[in-house]
Amino acid sequence: GQNIDQPTEMTATEGAIVQINCTYQTSGFNGLFWYQQHAGEAPTFLSYNVLDGLEEKGRFSSFLSRSKGYSYLLLKELQMKDSASYLCAVLPFSGGYNKLIFGAGTRLAVHP
Amino acid sequence: DAGVTQSPTHLIKTRGQQVTLRCSPKSGHDTVSWYQQALGQGPQFIFQYYEEEERQRGNFPDRFSGHQFPNYSSELNVNALLLGDSALYLCASSSREGRTGELFFGEGSRLTVL
C-alpha cells in the first residue's frame, strides 16, 4: 500500500523561503505530484516529478529522491496569496490511469 | 473555456437518505474521477469513469455508485447516507492525451449529513 506523510501545519514570513517535506512508503509509483488548495477551493496542479532531482517552475520547485522515499516543495519569495494547503500525491504503478493517492496536506500560513 | 463544474455546491441530507452529485468535465476531457475530502484530510479516490464505464475503484462501499454519460459528464450517487459521509466531494477531469497525473478539479459539492 501507500503511506504519505507531510507536516500538518507550517508558518512562514512574506518574502522568505519555505520547504514542505513529503515522505512516502510505496511499492512503486509512476510519479510524485504537488497540488495547491486554497481554503474552500479546488486543488490545482503545481508540479510533477518522475525522475530524481529538482524541477523548477518559477517561484516553486519540487525535488524527488526515490531511493530515500522523499520529496519536497520549495516556495521562494513567499507572498500572502501562498497561504494554502499543499498536497503531496503519488501515482502508484498498480493504480491505473490517473488514480492519485494524496497525503493529508500541509497548511501553510504566510504572515507579514 | 469552462473548467470542471459541479452541482450542487452545498447540500444537507439526513441519515438514510440518498444523494446525487453532478459533474461536467473540462472541455476536451474524457475521464472523470471522484474524490472524497474529509475536513483536514487529503482527497481520497472513490472511482473513475472512462467511456461510460467504471474503470477503477477505491476502498468505498457499494453504497457509492456512479455513471458517465455520452457527453462525458458524470454523476456520483450515495445511498443510505451515514454521518461519516459528510465531506467535500470533488470531481476531477483529465484527458488520456494530457500529462499523466494532472487532474483538473471542480470546486466540489459539500455534503452535510445530519
Side-chain angles (χ1 to χ4, degrees):
Chain A
Q2 294 84 31
N3 198 28
I4 299 172
D5 294 310
Q6 308 178 231
T8 305
E9 293 184 352
M10 298 182 72
T11 59
T13 305
E14 194 174 16
I17 299 173
V18 72
Q19 178 174 312
I20 302 175
N21 296 327
C22 170
T23 58
Y24 57 86
Q25 294 91 43
T26 178
S27 53
F29 61 92
N30 286 314
L32 189 137
F33 301 81
W34 286 93
Y35 277 75
Q36 180 191 58
Q37 186 175 25
H38 285 99
E41 296 184 13
T44 55
F45 171 83
L46 281 180
S47 71
Y48 167 47
N49 293 72
V50 177
L51 302 175
D52 285 3
L54 191 68
E55 293 283 340
E56 296 187 80
K57 201 174 175 182
R59 292 189 300 114
F60 293 4
S61 303
S62 57
F63 172 83
L64 175 64
S65 169
R66 285 179 175 264
S67 61
K68 294 182 181 176
Y70 168 67
S71 172
Y72 67 73
L73 180 69
L74 194 70
L75 292 76
K76 302 176 188 174
E77 300 169 16
L78 280 171
Q79 301 174 12
M80 298 298 289
K81 67 178 182 178
D82 296 328
S83 293
S85 282
Y86 291 86
L87 300 162
C88 174
V90 297
L91 183 64
F93 282 143
S94 59
Y97 175 71
N98 274 353
K99 175 184 172 183
L100 290 180
I101 308 298
F102 284 89
T106 298
R107 281 192 304 280
L108 174 66
V110 180
H111 51 82
Chain B
D1 175 27
V4 179
T5 58
Q6 293 187 241
S7 64
T9 53
H10 295 81
L11 68 167
I12 300 173
K13 293 284 188 177
T14 55
R15 280 178 296 175
Q17 284 190 310
Q18 177 264 346
V19 68
T20 297
L21 308 178
R22 295 177 177 83
C23 170
S24 292
K26 182 178 168 64
S27 178
H29 285 184
D30 55 12
T31 303
V32 172
S33 303
W34 287 92
Y35 286 79
Q36 180 195 64
Q37 187 174 26
L39 201 60
Q41 299 297 315
Q44 285 198 45
F45 179 81
I46 302 174
F47 43 51
Q48 182 182 91
Y49 280 84
Y50 173 65
E51 291 184 334
E52 300 179 53
E53 288 192 19
E54 183 183 297
R55 299 293 177 169
Q56 302 175 74
R57 191 176 183 91
N59 293 325
F60 281 80
D62 292 344
R63 298 187 297 108
F64 290 76
S65 63
H67 191 77
Q68 185 180 35
F69 300 94
N71 67 352
Y72 307 119
S73 67
S74 178
E75 287 182 353
L76 163 66
N77 300 292
V78 187
N79 294 323
L81 284 167
L82 304 173
L83 295 179
D85 295 331
S86 295
L88 181 67
Y89 289 85
L90 294 164
C91 170
S93 75
S94 56
S95 166
R96 305 231 157 200
E97 319 243 315
R99 177 180 11 215
T100 298
E102 183 173 0
L103 303 179
F104 291 80
F105 284 89
E107 299 282 339
S109 294
R110 184 163 296 282
L111 171 65
T112 302
V113 182
L114 301 176

